Amino acid sequence: AKPAAAPQSTSQSQGVSIDYRCEDCTKVFVDFNSMKMHCNAAGHKPVSEGSGASQPASAEEFSQYCNTVLQRAMGERMARWGRHYIDPKSFQTPLNRHGQEMGVNVFQAYNVEFNVGKPVGNIPKLMLTVDLTAKVIRTKSLLVALTNGKDPNRYQFTEQEKAALKRKWIGQTVISKLDKKCHAIHDLIFAHSPDSLQVEGLGMSHSEYYEQRKKHKLEFPRAKPIIAVPGRNKSIIHLPAEVICADELDDEVKMQLPKIASFGPEVRNKAIDEIKRFLIPGAQKSRTESGLLPALGIRLKGERLTIAAEVLPAPVLAAAGVKVSADRGNWTVQLSKARFTCEPNQVVKLNVVVVHNKLIDWSEIYGKVKSLVNSHNATYRLPDTPYKVVKTENDQDRHWGAVEQNFGNSKNLPANIFVIDMTKPRAATDPSYSVVKKMFASGGIPSQFINFRNCNHNNPQQARKSTIVLGGVARQILNKVGVVIWWTHVPRGLPLPAVFVGVDVFHAPRQYDPQSKRKIAKPSVAAIVMQVVHGSGKSEWYTETFKRDAGQEYQLGEALEGTLKRGMSRLPMAKGKTIKSCIMWRDGVGDAAVGPTAKQEVPAVQRVFGASCPIAMLVCQKRIATKFFQANGQAMPQGLYVSGLSHLEYPTFYINGTCPPYATPKPVRYILARRDAALAKVSMADLTWDCCHDYPNWAGPIKVPSVCQLAHKLAEHAGNFTDSG
């Protein structure tokens, strides 16, 4: 039966009703203007029907409708925070090792959704999945951060401090401690306090407004400044600095997040029982029948869904002269023993340029990196003395200024140049990174950054951590100049040469624009990574990025076809070869778009490799609420494989790629959107699991195949460039 319709706009003359639902996706809108704006922006059209027409809802429409009802039911019992629901009165305040509060509160946040699938056999069922995540909010208000903990009522800001604070905070995101809403700071008004500034149109001060309307009495009503943030319809509203807090967490808290903001299987089992208790009949305020869900014909069964599972064996890995045991988890120590066979007359010395912050002793660290790189006995080596050393000031503008001055004209640079940039940013992330990285990329210069903020490599007390980090840096340097440290064996039965393709789209966060007084969406970036596999340990790589309209995830057929064609013509070993098979892992595709995406992108691959080349396409879904537990409540191990929980239209399997020690592992859902008959004997689960061990930046398994993860990282890097890739 068709679910209850959304509000409609009816044309009497034509006898046509326009539903406030989109015909091309699963979105539903509350009014005509919202629906019209979406259709104009996305190129979609609304659902329109004759006055007497009626048709059954699709599975996507039905699940969307059920989830809308579920959100309404959850909203009657819990507070909504983004996509999650929390109990505002239930939280924990973690302590550090000295027994002191860490300045944050940790809330249990519930992600609840309905899905239509085939858990057992071919009978479609409506399934409820419950996930538990942590929402962390700072307890230290913005007022405390602005005044450095001094008495806000008496603190007087100097003109220099005012200018510095405005540069730091304008455009930053803050969270209201009362309603958990996020705001972008438009300005800091140092001339007013909540007591002195009147609320426009109400005839009362902001301190009176919060006491009378919000039932919250301000502790520092005379404290300056008051914070200006964007309101509705491009207006500006003002918030007391004591009721908001910064979105960015302190470094100490970030390091402890795996311990303080993770939940084990026992806690998650209790969360499932708690949500079931909220959704049983009589738990909601609805007057019809005995609850909102039962009133609409949705009743929850008491039992959990039980399915069979198995653990995939660790793949066979090999490094130069070393057989790697992948079942031992992280194999950093084993890789340090890898030695290549390279004759002296084949050695290529890289012309290394060291760019370093003036506060860093670069020579000691360069010596360590050189020893680690050269110990692998690969073709490319680091010299005893760098080709050039560039010292930068402890300032981001001068950092990229020095880089532009020395690398602006790549024609004057020698061959085989490689840049090692040692930075010490003031924050956890380096704001110069994307700018400097783009300068190097535009000049065709490979580079490697070493961040001294996260690990001070000059500090003897962090020697052990430094050795581990620099070992990874050495492997990344070799990988960037074409040396493959380790590789997985190609499964038997896969026709070679084969092409592995990874596709992902990065959507940059909206940034606040002071001119328009609203957040502006940056263009999205699509990345396509192509790996031509000739045999175990013998591959070629080709990548491209594409600038897209903000939020545009699909319609990549033309870009995919062009990338594959250019890759085949430019890669030396692949040029002129006939590709015998192609496997594509596509990230960022929702359930409703699996079919349309496959119909649009698979023909693009066929136009490059020919209709005789067998193709398999797998959609990777990471943002899912599904987690698996053993019958005794314990978490599942690494490499868990589940195939009994299928998509409504396509074969589906799940793999637990990682197994964090403090949390419950979240699997990745793989939807097999296409597999030609010639690949029927190739296990897509085994091939996917093998490729999860092939990511060059991490000596251990990851959640998705390496080509897919590389596409994700490449799209993210390019998305932060000024030209968006």
Side-chain angles (χ1 to χ4, degrees):
K2 183 179 176 181
Q8 295 178 334
S9 173
T10 305
S11 173
Q12 298 291 342
S13 60
Q14 298 180 0
V16 175
S17 64
I18 299 176
D19 207 339
Y20 295 158
R21 293 179 293 144
C22 181
E23 188 175 89
D24 301 300
C25 65
T26 57
K27 292 186 177 180
V28 182
F29 303 93
V30 296
D31 54 36
F32 177 78
N33 289 332
S34 300
M35 182 266 295
K36 183 180 178 182
M37 289 176 62
H38 165 76
C39 292
N40 289 338
H44 294 175
K45 58 183 179 180
V47 173
S48 58
E49 303 171 347
S51 56
S54 179
Q55 60 182 7
S58 66
E60 291 81 10
E61 290 173 327
F62 176 65
S63 61
Q64 179 77 11
Y65 169 73
C66 292
N67 280 312
T68 302
V69 176
L70 180 62
Q71 291 172 10
R72 170 74 179 275
M74 291 293 298
E76 292 183 350
R77 295 300 303 269
M78 307 183 82
R80 185 167 184 172
W81 190 349
R83 297 180 179 180
H84 299 83
Y85 295 89
I86 66 167
D87 182 358
K89 299 179 181 179
S90 176
F91 59 86
Q92 292 182 341
T93 304
L95 307 176
N96 60 21
R97 60 182 180 179
H98 303 295
Q100 301 170 333
E101 293 186 359
M102 300 180 68
V104 295
N105 288 333
V106 180
F107 294 84
Q108 289 187 358
Y110 300 90
N111 182 13
V112 187
E113 66 178 9
F114 280 122
N115 294 288
V116 179
K118 299 177 181 178
V120 180
N122 292 319
I123 303 175
K125 290 184 179 295
L126 184 66
M127 301 174 291
L128 177 69
T129 56
V130 180
D131 192 17
L132 186 65
T133 186
K135 288 290 186 181
V136 182
I137 186 171
R138 297 180 65 160
T139 56
K140 184 170 71 174
S141 69
L142 181 61
L143 183 62
V144 175
L146 295 175
T147 58
N148 292 319
K150 299 177 182 178
D151 186 357
N153 285 326
R154 298 182 180 181
Y155 192 83
Q156 298 293 324
F157 295 93
T158 65
E159 293 302 319
Q160 271 188 328
E161 287 177 326
K162 291 178 182 179
L165 290 172
K166 285 193 175 189
R167 284 196 303 269
K168 177 180 179 180
W169 289 103
I170 290 179
Q172 296 289 325
T173 300
V174 291
I175 304 176
S176 170
K177 298 169 69 174
L178 301 180
D179 58 12
K180 306 300 186 294
K181 290 183 178 180
C182 293
H183 306 272
I185 296 181
H186 176 74
D187 200 1
L188 279 69
I189 312 298
F190 286 95
H192 283 289
S193 67
D195 249 357
S196 64
L197 187 63
Q198 297 290 303
V199 180
E200 187 176 354
L202 294 183
M204 63 174 68
S205 68
H206 279 76
S207 57
E208 293 171 336
Y209 173 81
Y210 271 82
E211 185 173 0
Q212 296 177 21
R213 301 290 181 89
K214 300 284 188 178
K215 307 302 179 184
H216 178 82
K217 187 174 182 179
L218 299 180
E219 187 177 357
F220 304 103
R222 298 193 305 274
K224 301 176 182 179
I226 193 166
I227 311 302
V229 300
R232 296 176 181 174
N233 300 322
K234 297 185 180 181
S235 64
I236 295 296
I237 61 175
H238 298 86
L239 303 175
E242 67 175 86
V243 302
I244 57 179
C245 57
D247 183 42
E248 186 73 15
L249 299 176
D250 295 334
D251 290 348
E252 178 192 9
V253 178
K254 288 182 179 179
M255 293 177 62
Q256 297 298 320
L257 280 178
K259 294 182 180 179
I260 67 175
S262 299
F263 304 107
E266 182 180 352
V267 178
R268 294 182 184 277
N269 274 310
K270 291 181 179 179
I272 294 175
D273 293 334
E274 186 74 3
I275 293 300
K276 286 172 60 179
R277 185 176 65 84
F278 282 164
L279 299 179
I280 59 175
Q284 293 81 42
K285 301 174 184 177
S286 307
R287 296 180 181 178
T288 56
E289 292 196 15
S290 55
L292 183 58
L293 295 182
L296 299 171
I298 303 174
R299 295 181 180 273
L300 298 180
K301 289 187 175 181
E303 68 272 13
R304 302 275 184 91
L305 183 63
T306 303
I307 53 178
E310 61 180 287
V311 177
L312 297 174
V316 178
L317 301 180
V322 179
K323 184 178 180 181
V324 180
S325 298
D327 55 355
R328 297 181 185 176
N330 187 297
W331 49 81
T332 302
V333 177
Q334 301 175 69
L335 292 177
S336 64
K337 302 175 183 178
R339 300 291 184 270
F340 291 87
T341 302
C342 182
E343 299 298 331
N345 60 351
Q346 296 177 329
V347 172
V348 177
K349 290 278 187 175
L350 296 173
N351 288 305
V352 177
V353 177
V354 175
V355 180
H356 72 95
N357 185 297
K358 69 176 185 178
L359 303 178
I360 293 173
D361 179 11
W362 67 271
S363 58
E364 177 190 1
I365 307 307
Y366 175 76
K368 291 181 179 179
V369 173
K370 182 205 73 173
S371 298
L372 290 167
V373 170
N374 295 348
S375 66
H376 290 289
N377 199 34
T379 303
Y380 296 92
R381 313 281 176 88
L382 300 188
D384 294 334
T385 305
Y387 170 79
K388 191 175 184 179
V389 177
V390 179
K391 181 173 71 173
T392 67
E393 298 295 321
N394 192 32
D395 180 84
Q396 66 181 37
D397 294 330
R398 297 184 184 181
H399 181 187
W400 60 57
V403 171
E404 186 175 25
Q405 182 180 355
N406 286 273
F407 300 94
N409 188 357
S410 58
K411 294 181 180 179
N412 298 329
L413 298 173
N416 297 320
I417 190 169
F418 194 97
V419 177
I420 298 178
D421 196 325
M422 304 182 188
T423 66
K424 193 173 185 179
R426 297 176 181 177
T429 56
D430 189 353
S432 316
Y433 179 81
S434 60
V435 178
V436 175
K437 202 72 173 177
K438 183 182 183 299
M439 292 179 185
F440 292 143
S442 300
I445 303 170
S447 60
Q448 177 63 45
F449 278 64
I450 303 178
N451 192 325
F452 278 67
R453 168 79 179 191
N454 300 328
C455 176
N456 188 349
H457 300 282
N458 291 138
N459 186 353
Q461 295 181 348
Q462 298 190 32
R464 185 173 180 274
K465 181 179 180 181
S466 175
T467 301
I468 297 173
V469 173
L470 294 180
V473 167
R475 291 191 297 273
Q476 289 188 42
I477 290 175
L478 287 173
N479 184 261
K480 288 176 180 178
V481 294
V483 178
V484 179
I485 303 293
W486 78 90
W487 54 87
T488 59
H489 284 281
V490 179
R492 294 180 179 178
L494 181 67
L496 297 178
V499 170
F500 295 164
V501 182
V503 183
D504 198 8
V505 180
F506 172 73
H507 306 292
R510 291 176 174 265
Q511 295 182 340
Y512 180 69
D513 179 24
Q515 301 295 329
S516 61
K517 300 179 183 179
R518 61 190 182 93
K519 286 190 173 183
I520 303 296
K522 286 185 63 179
S524 297
V525 176
I528 300 174
V529 174
M530 171 188 183
Q531 179 187 6
V532 183
V533 182
H534 300 275
S536 297
K538 191 177 181 181
S539 294
E540 294 177 292
W541 301 77
Y542 183 78
T543 67
E544 286 191 14
T545 59
F546 298 87
K547 182 178 178 180
R548 313 275 289 169
D549 293 336
Q552 187 177 359
E553 180 76 48
Y554 311 114
Q555 303 298 322
L556 283 173
E558 183 178 347
L560 186 61
E561 180 181 355
T563 301
L564 297 179
K565 282 183 178 178
R566 288 184 285 271
M568 291 300 297
S569 65
R570 295 174 182 176
L571 295 175
M573 291 189 295
K575 193 172 184 178
K577 292 285 186 69
T578 300
I579 299 301
K580 299 297 182 63
S581 62
C582 178
I583 316 295
M584 181 166 64
W585 287 273
R586 178 66 155 91
D587 203 348
V589 177
D591 285 355
V594 171
T597 303
K599 291 178 181 178
Q600 206 262 337
E601 295 179 5
V602 169
V605 178
Q606 290 177 324
R607 288 193 292 270
V608 179
F609 301 134
S612 61
C613 175
I615 298 172
M617 177 180 177
L618 295 97
V619 170
C620 315
Q621 295 181 339
K622 301 190 293 289
R623 293 186 177 182
I624 59 176
T626 305
K627 284 185 171 70
F628 299 107
F629 305 99
Q630 298 183 41
N632 58 8
Q634 297 299 310
M636 291 294 190
Q638 183 175 280
L640 178 81
Y641 167 71
V642 176
S643 61
L645 194 62
S646 183
H647 186 274
L648 197 61
E649 298 180 23
Y650 303 98
T652 308
F653 62 88
Y654 297 75
I655 293 180
N656 264 356
T658 57
C659 190
Y662 300 105
T664 308
K666 177 184 286 188
V668 176
R669 178 192 292 144
Y670 294 94
I671 300 175
L672 191 54
R674 165 76 176 254
R675 177 163 65 174
D676 291 339
L679 298 175
K681 295 183 179 180
V682 179
S683 171
M684 290 298 140
D686 289 339
L687 178 61
T688 298
W689 179 233
D690 288 354
C691 291
C692 289
H693 292 72
D694 204 25
Y695 184 57
N697 280 3
W698 182 252
I702 58 173
K703 295 174 72 71
V704 293
S706 56
V707 287
C708 193
Q709 181 66 13
L710 286 168
H712 170 78
K713 295 297 291 185
L714 180 60
E716 184 179 10
H717 280 319
N720 288 313
F721 289 170
T722 52
D723 62 355
S724 299

